[in-house]
Amino acid sequence: MGPKYLIMIDFCEYNLFKIKQELVNLNINKTTLITNLTNAEDEFSLEETFKKYSVNLIFHAAAYKHVHMVEKNPIDGLRNNLLTTRSICNAAVRTNVKKMILISSDKAVRPTNVMGGSKLLSELILKGFSKNKKHNTKFAVVRFGNVIDSSGSVIPIFREQIQNGGPVTVTHPDMERFFMTISEAVQLVLQSSVLSIGGETFLLNMGKPVKIIDIAKKMIFASGLKIKDNINKNGDIEIKIIGIKEGEKLKEELLINGSIINTVHPLINKAEEIIKIDPQMISKIDQLIDLAKTNKKKNALKIFHELIDEYK
C-alpha cells in the first residue's frame, strides 16, 4: 500500500533480520523499511521512534500467545502482554499518533487461561485510553481466532509430526477452533483500521469453527498417507489423543456479552458489549503490571484473577 515508512519493532534479533530480508526481496521501492531492535515494554524508546518518523498508525501484535507456555510462565506473560500494551498507548498519546490497533484474540472472551486473560486486560487498557477525550489518538481492538500457519499454530506442528512419521497429537476429539489464513487476517485488520473512529471492538467473520481432529485427518490424506487406527492397522500415521492442556477450552467464542452488529464490510463486524471501565479497574491493572515487573507472583496472580473473574 506504499506507506512512507514501515517500522518493524521487535526484541528478537533473528525474526527482525528475517522479516527485513523478506521485505527487501519484494522490492517495495516506495517504502522505507526500518528495523528497530527494541522491547515494546520500553515506552521511552517507542516514543522516540514514533516522534522521529511521525508515526500515524500502530498495529500492536507484541504478545506472548501460546496458551500452554504462558500458563507455565504466567508472570512473564502478564508483564510482556500488559506492559507492552500500556507502554505503546502512553507513547502513542504523547506523540499524537492518529490510531492504534490492538490485535486481540477469541481467547480474551471468558478467559480460562493467563494468555486469554492478559488479552482481555489489554483490551480494557485500550478502552480506558479511549474514554479519555483529551487524547488525540484513536484506539480500537480487532478480535479474531486462529491464523493458519502462523508461528506455533497447529498446522506447522501437524506438518512436522507427519514428516516425522507420526503420531499426530490432538488434545481432544471435540476440540474446535475458528481459522483464517494469514493474508485474510492481515487484509481485514488493515481494513478495520480504516473503519475505526475510536473505541471499537471489531470481530472478524471467521465462518464456522473447525474440529482440530478433522484438520489432522485432512493433512494426513493431503500428504498421500493413510491413517493408522484399529480399523486400518497397516496405515501410515496414527492420531493420538493426548488430553486437554491446562487452561484450554474445547470451544472459543468471539463475543463477551451484548450483540454483534454489521459494518459496511461484510467480513468485519462490531461488538456492542457492556464493559465497565472505571479508574479503580485501571488502577488495579497498573498495580498488576507493577507486581509483574518486580516478579511478585502470588500478589500479581491474585489481582489478575480478581480482574478477570467478572468476565468469566
Side-chain angles (χ1 to χ4, degrees), residues 73-126:
N73 302 275
I75 297 305
D76 295 284
L78 289 171
R79 192 203 69 249
N80 181 76
N81 292 5
L82 299 180
L83 182 53
T84 54
T85 303
R86 189 180 70 180
S87 295
I88 295 167
C89 289
N90 279 330
V93 165
R94 285 202 294 268
T95 53
N96 287 312
V97 172
K98 286 181 183 175
K99 288 182 182 178
M100 178 197 157
I101 309 299
L102 169 70
I103 308 299
S104 190
S105 164
D106 53 4
K107 292 173 180 62
V109 178
R110 277 171 277 287
T112 56
N113 51 63
V114 177
M115 194 287 275
S118 72
K119 296 302 275 187
L120 169 62
L121 296 181
S122 292
E123 289 190 15
L124 297 180
I125 289 171
L126 258 77

Side-chain angles (χ1 to χ4, degrees), residues 20-80:
K20 176 73 179 286
Q21 290 306 113
E22 190 176 326
L23 289 167
V24 164
N25 291 337
L26 292 175
N27 294 317
I28 312 169
N29 296 321
K30 291 183 192 172
T31 300
T32 301
L33 301 172
I34 308 292
T35 46
N36 200 332
L37 190 61
T38 299
N39 191 327
E41 294 176 4
D42 184 348
E43 68 181 72
F44 300 105
S45 292
L46 295 173
E47 187 179 344
E48 190 177 75
T49 300
F50 298 165
K51 196 180 292 180
K52 181 178 179 181
Y53 297 104
S54 301
V55 169
N56 54 23
L57 179 58
I58 298 167
F59 295 98
H60 170 29
Y64 292 143
K65 64 173 187 171
H66 299 285
V67 169
H68 188 59
M69 190 75 77
V70 175
E71 209 64 20
K72 295 297 180 188
N73 302 275
I75 297 305
D76 295 284
L78 289 171
R79 192 203 69 249
N80 181 76

Side-chain angles (χ1 to χ4, degrees), residues 53 56 61 163 182 204 226 250 265 268 301 309:
Y53 297 104
N56 54 23
Q163 286 171 352
I182 292 173
L204 303 188
K226 293 176 182 175
L250 280 180
H265 195 296
I268 302 173
L301 289 176
D309 277 351

Side-chain angles (χ1 to χ4, degrees), residues 9-25:
I9 297 174
D10 203 325
F11 64 35
C12 178
E13 181 188 38
Y14 177 71
N15 284 344
L16 209 51
F17 169 77
K18 289 291 286 182
I19 191 63
K20 176 73 179 286
Q21 290 306 113
E22 190 176 326
L23 289 167
V24 164
N25 291 337

